[in-house]
Amino acid sequence: MIGDEIKGLYHATKWALILRGALSVIVGIVIIARPLESVAALALVIALWSLFDGTVNIVRSFQVRGVASHWWVLLLGGIVGVLFGATALYYFPGLSLAFAVLWTAYWLMFSGVMAVYAAFMERRVGLSWGWTMAFGVVAIVGGLFALVEPAVTLASLIGLIAAFAIISGVVLLMGAGRMQSLQRDLRNAGSAAARG
């Protein structure tokens, strides 16, 4: 029956939200309680992700070889990913952590340069440009600081990951709570309709 399938899907979704939310909150708390182990875990995730992503790109490159003339770019990217992942595991955790710091620094500096460029374009056409320029300068300075202070950069990354895990976990649990109250409201409305 369709109603039973909907109820089953509803309950599965609600419990998935509860489990994912609780797990996210627990992960966030563990990261805060054990920051050094969390840094090592981040290094492992980076290395394993690179291996996985590289392998997928290699396989995908052969799948698209007949239809994409630049399939070799995907193959090359996959090979680089696999080599980086293997090297990062061999030199664990140093290489992965250096990658995380460099990636963060370059991302901040690139975002900053793009924001400064956008601020000049906004100024040229007569738009408000001050906040865009301020963001750009702060991002560039932050990127340079990330390069100079890698330990602070890693601590900041771990803090952001912990905050994201806790906040997203609370939001998921709130969503499960809203689903529970919706279920109660629908049950009460059904009971009222049956009596009326």
Side-chain angles (χ1 to χ4, degrees):
M1 215 170 156
I2 292 177
D4 291 336
E5 288 178 25
I6 292 173
K7 285 180 183 178
L9 181 61
Y10 175 85
H11 286 292
T13 302
K14 180 179 71 175
W15 280 106
L17 287 175
I18 291 170
L19 291 174
R20 286 177 58 205
L23 182 61
S24 290
V25 170
I26 291 168
V27 165
I29 291 169
V30 168
I31 289 171
I32 291 170
R34 315 253 309 155
L36 293 178
E37 290 85 350
S38 301
V39 170
L42 175 63
L44 185 61
V45 166
I46 290 169
L48 292 177
W49 176 256
S50 183
L51 277 172
F52 174 75
D53 186 56
T55 303
V56 168
N57 283 337
I58 290 170
V59 170
R60 186 78 179 132
S61 71
F62 287 110
Q63 291 174 337
V64 300
R65 183 176 54 186
V67 294
S69 61
H70 292 37
W71 65 273
W72 59 271
V73 174
L74 194 59
L75 176 64
L76 184 61
I79 291 170
V80 168
V82 167
L83 289 175
F84 174 80
T87 306
L89 286 175
Y90 184 77
Y91 292 107
F92 181 80
L95 186 60
S96 293
L97 297 178
F99 173 78
V101 168
L102 289 174
W103 184 267
T104 302
Y106 290 141
W107 174 76
L108 282 169
M109 288 188 286
F110 179 76
S111 298
V113 168
M114 290 295 105
V116 168
Y117 175 76
F120 282 120
M121 294 297 110
E122 290 171 347
R123 183 176 179 204
R124 182 178 296 161
V125 296
L127 295 174
S128 175
W129 57 276
W131 285 109
T132 307
M133 178 63 78
F135 169 78
V137 170
V138 168
I140 291 170
V141 170
L144 293 172
F145 181 77
L147 285 174
V148 174
E149 293 291 338
V152 174
T153 303
L154 286 173
S156 299
L157 287 173
I158 292 297
L160 284 172
I161 292 169
F164 177 79
I166 291 171
I167 292 169
S168 65
V170 169
V171 168
L172 288 169
L173 290 171
M174 288 170 53
R178 294 289 296 154
M179 287 183 76
Q180 184 66 34
S181 68
L182 175 66
Q183 181 182 18
R184 188 175 38 253
D185 292 345
L186 288 173
R187 194 174 323 126
N188 290 342
S191 297
R195 282 180 285 184

